[in-house]
Amino acid sequence: MLLIEEKYRPVAEILFSSGTCSRCILRLCCVDFPAPYRLPYKDLTEELHKLLAPCDEGAADGDSAPPIKKAKLDESDGCNAEALNTDASGAPKICNLCLGILQHLADADFVKKIFHKVQSAGYEFKDFVFSVSLPAQLLVREHCAWLQAQQEMRKQGRVLEKGDIIQLKEAYKWIIHPMISDELGVQAVSKSAFEVGVVFCHQETDEDCHFLATVCKDCFKPAKNKQSVFTRMAVVKALEKIKDDDFCRQFQWPPSSPKTACEVVDMQCNHASVFVAGRYNKYSRNLPQTPWVIDGERKMESSVEELITEQLMPVFKADSFNFSSSGREDVDVRTLGRGRPFAIELVNPHKVQVTKQNIKDLQEKINGTDKIKVRDLQIVTREAVAHMKEGEEEKTKCYSALIWAEKNIKKEDLELLDNVKELKLVQKTPLRVLHRRPLASRVRLIHTMNTEYLDEHHFRLYLKTQAGTYIKEFVHGDFGRTVPNIGSIMKTTADILELDVESVDVDWPPALDD
């Protein structure tokens, strides 16, 4: 049953006579359940008219009916007069509070447009969340109406808190959620990976907020990513700060009735990112981890990133991707052992119903090249990806390097290296990466070293190091920028010929059965 409490009658009357739509009257009268808002707009307006504009019959003697606790809007009083909030032609005026949103943009025709937008976008989803972006000036108009309603309630010795009135966005969703759910065949929920969003705009009333900037200057600060300083957040802050008397002098009741209704300037669909993780091995010494482009010119044919994502992107039908990993190796460095952990964020995927078998098939396709191999490919959560980066500086990595020494290598030289434990290095940013990394001195640890003699000028060096150690520079010294180094320890000139990453000691993502 549709009810407005009797105490709100004065509020309803002043709103109804000032160009406010029936649904906004319900909001300002604190009707806090969905059913009345979902009535056809015409039927609701007729019911309100029966309550607020009763016939003169039976009132000639000046007697009035005794006050009642509730005024029922679903009981007919036989009155056929025109509704008070229509124009001369009988058409509903554009509401001066919602600017037509609850009148003209909450019906079956509008829901059909949303349905066609979602259907044409081609997403897979099991439920959805509906988001609405409203013009900031609606906040000003609603604040004005609340102050007027508050004044009417005070005449009765009552209080109307702003938090008691129903927010436009909430009322709109009460109306439209079941309609969209019926069209899409899935439920609207408060949290979902799939979002349907509508952005409303009303240029005719854009200047409604401008007076706030003269009264509350500190609330409106330009931002690079905002087209206007009059954001909803800024307007909310200003309305909280401005005094009621100052507001009423600047923005008087009732707000003007606009000639046009709000329009939809954007209708969007978006699916939350899907994250795919695994570990990769790189067997080529001519393959960068990510595309190598300098001054617009591509230096290498492909990359680890591309060899993986070129298989993932068509399956998930994502708009774009972001690749991240636990460290990176140089283009001429192989990654062996169990490989390097990586994660790929697939942005706005259209296909998300992917099975474990689909992922296994993807892994096989990626492994169709001799340049890389991936293992433990799996879908993970956004939160899980953070584990890959947690404590990265404290993790260890193992390497093997082919070293050349200028002097003849003796047994004592290699034993000296074998006995090194927890060697502390000071490494200035290497010259080769100084163009893309800030100049700094970093302390790193070489935990252990083991050697394997090859010939009088060559040996293989196995190292276990702190993550972030520059191995090439530790070998040749980088013109004294890494101290100590292999050359200074052996008292000769040394260089590195080949380098392999043997292990990245990050226990992520979880290992899968083959």
Side-chain angles (χ1 to χ4, degrees):
M1 183 169 289
L2 178 60
L3 303 172
I4 285 183
E5 293 184 57
E6 179 64 21
K7 66 182 180 181
Y8 292 117
R9 178 187 286 271
V11 174
E13 288 174 346
I14 195 169
L15 292 171
F16 201 65
S17 63
S18 65
T20 302
C21 76
S22 304
R23 285 169 174 153
C24 281
I25 292 173
L26 294 183
R27 296 196 302 112
L28 270 293
C29 290
C30 306
V31 177
D32 61 354
F33 52 101
Y37 297 89
R38 292 173 180 167
L39 286 174
Y41 182 78
K42 183 179 179 182
D43 294 350
L44 173 60
T45 303
E46 289 177 355
E47 294 291 349
L48 275 175
H49 181 265
K50 292 172 188 177
L51 172 72
L52 303 175
C55 291
D56 293 333
E57 183 180 345
D61 57 1
D63 294 335
S64 59
I68 56 176
K69 293 182 179 178
K70 303 280 185 180
K72 300 181 179 180
L73 300 189
D74 58 350
E75 294 179 356
S76 172
D77 61 2
C79 210
N80 295 314
E82 279 188 325
L84 297 178
N85 57 351
T86 57
D87 60 23
S89 67
K93 294 178 182 177
I94 302 298
C95 175
N96 59 2
L97 295 191
C98 71
L99 305 178
I101 290 176
L102 296 182
Q103 295 170 293
H104 308 295
L105 296 167
D107 57 15
D109 288 341
F110 184 63
V111 170
K112 285 286 186 185
K113 293 179 181 178
I114 295 175
F115 170 72
H116 290 312
K117 173 67 177 179
V118 176
Q119 191 177 46
S120 63
Y123 286 88
E124 291 180 344
F125 54 94
K126 60 180 181 180
D127 50 33
F128 72 97
V129 62
F130 183 65
S131 66
V132 182
S133 176
L134 301 172
Q137 58 265 37
L138 290 173
L139 295 168
V140 175
R141 290 173 168 259
E142 186 167 285
H143 188 78
C144 181
W146 168 65
L147 291 176
Q148 187 65 27
Q150 188 182 55
Q151 181 177 318
E152 293 298 321
M153 296 298 286
R154 283 174 179 166
K155 292 176 183 179
Q156 308 175 51
R158 300 177 185 274
V159 176
L160 177 62
E161 299 291 347
K162 195 170 185 179
D164 293 337
I165 66 177
I166 306 304
Q167 297 297 307
L168 171 57
K169 188 175 293 187
E170 184 174 11
Y172 186 68
K173 289 183 178 182
W174 280 347
I175 300 165
I176 208 162
H177 267 179
M179 301 169 70
I180 302 177
S181 293
D182 287 346
E183 286 287 349
L184 296 179
V186 296
Q187 287 298 308
V189 294
S190 58
K191 289 185 179 181
S192 173
F194 182 62
E195 178 184 14
V196 180
V198 176
V199 180
F200 293 113
C201 177
H202 195 256
Q203 293 185 351
E204 184 184 343
T205 58
D206 267 350
E207 295 185 359
D208 282 0
C209 302
H210 290 192
F211 75 94
L212 291 172
T214 63
V215 183
C216 308
K217 294 181 180 179
D218 58 333
C219 293
F220 299 95
K221 297 178 181 179
K224 292 182 179 179
N225 59 340
K226 300 292 183 181
Q227 293 182 344
S228 170
V229 296
F230 297 102
T231 62
R232 287 184 63 83
M233 186 62 69
V235 171
V236 167
K237 289 181 179 178
L239 292 176
E240 290 174 349
K241 188 173 182 179
I242 192 171
K243 294 179 180 179
D244 292 349
D245 290 343
D246 291 339
F247 180 91
C248 292
R249 278 194 295 270
Q250 297 279 352
F251 196 88
Q252 297 180 354
W253 173 264
S256 60
S257 293
K259 297 177 182 178
T260 59
C262 266
E263 60 178 346
V264 178
V265 293
D266 198 9
M267 193 179 293
Q268 301 173 340
C269 300
N270 188 73
H271 199 288
S273 296
V274 169
F275 294 84
V276 176
R279 302 179 79 104
Y280 74 80
N281 292 113
K282 180 167 85 76
Y283 302 117
S284 171
R285 296 195 187 277
N286 293 288
L287 186 70
Q289 186 190 70
T290 55
W292 191 1
V293 180
I294 299 177
D295 296 331
E297 183 180 350
R298 191 179 184 101
K299 296 298 182 182
M300 292 286 177
E301 181 181 342
S302 188
S303 65
V304 173
E305 174 188 291
E306 290 166 296
L307 290 174
I308 297 174
T309 56
E310 69 185 13
Q311 300 297 336
L312 295 181
M313 290 292 284
V315 171
F316 288 89
K317 297 181 179 178
D319 287 353
S320 59
F321 66 85
N322 296 308
F323 180 93
S324 59
S325 63
S326 181
R328 61 187 298 138
E329 67 285 311
D330 290 338
V331 62
D332 58 347
V333 176
R334 297 186 303 177
T335 297
L336 309 175
R338 292 186 58 240
R340 186 185 298 277
F342 70 91
I344 296 170
E345 178 186 9
L346 296 157
V347 180
N348 195 24
H350 289 55
K351 180 175 175 57
V352 294
Q353 296 174 7
V354 179
T355 66
K356 289 183 178 180
Q357 185 58 49
N358 294 148
I359 296 295
K360 284 185 178 181
D361 294 342
L362 271 172
Q363 181 169 299
E364 289 184 10
K365 286 183 179 180
I366 295 169
N367 292 344
T369 174
D370 59 357
K371 295 181 178 180
I372 68 165
K373 291 287 186 293
V374 299
R375 69 177 67 205
D376 301 330
L377 199 66
Q378 58 196 279
I379 294 177
V380 298
T381 64
R382 179 186 294 272
E383 293 73 23
V385 173
H387 298 327
M388 183 178 69
K389 294 294 185 181
E390 284 177 2
E392 191 167 278
E393 293 298 315
E394 284 70 44
K395 299 296 183 182
T396 60
K397 297 184 179 180
C398 296
Y399 300 87
S400 66
L402 178 59
I403 310 296
W404 169 86
E406 184 177 32
K407 74 173 185 179
N408 288 345
I409 299 169
K410 297 179 180 179
K411 179 180 179 182
E412 293 79 10
D413 295 320
L414 299 187
E415 287 178 348
L416 179 63
L417 297 180
D418 290 339
N419 291 329
V420 170
K421 299 289 189 294
E422 303 302 324
L423 177 65
K424 184 180 292 186
L425 311 180
V426 178
Q427 294 193 305
K428 286 185 180 179
T429 305
L431 293 173
R432 63 189 172 90
V433 299
L434 198 54
H435 65 285
R436 56 185 170 87
R437 294 193 178 177
L439 176 62
S441 292
R442 300 172 179 84
V443 176
R444 292 292 185 266
L445 288 175
I446 303 293
H447 298 296
T448 62
M449 288 192 289
N450 299 101
T451 60
E452 178 186 348
Y453 179 84
L454 297 178
D455 60 41
E456 59 185 11
H457 289 289
H458 299 88
F459 67 96
R460 190 163 291 278
L461 178 65
Y462 300 94
L463 310 97
K464 184 175 184 180
T465 76
Q466 180 183 352
T469 305
Y470 291 105
I471 305 301
K472 291 178 178 178
E473 283 67 25
F474 170 59
V475 174
H476 58 63
D478 198 22
F479 301 100
R481 297 169 69 85
T482 291
V483 179
N485 53 70
I486 292 295
S488 66
I489 294 172
M490 295 180 65
K491 295 181 172 52
T492 186
T493 299
D495 205 354
I496 186 167
L497 304 181
E498 290 180 353
L499 179 63
D500 293 329
V501 180
E502 296 289 348
S503 72
V504 179
D505 301 328
V506 178
D507 190 19
W508 189 91
L512 302 178
D513 296 332
D514 293 335

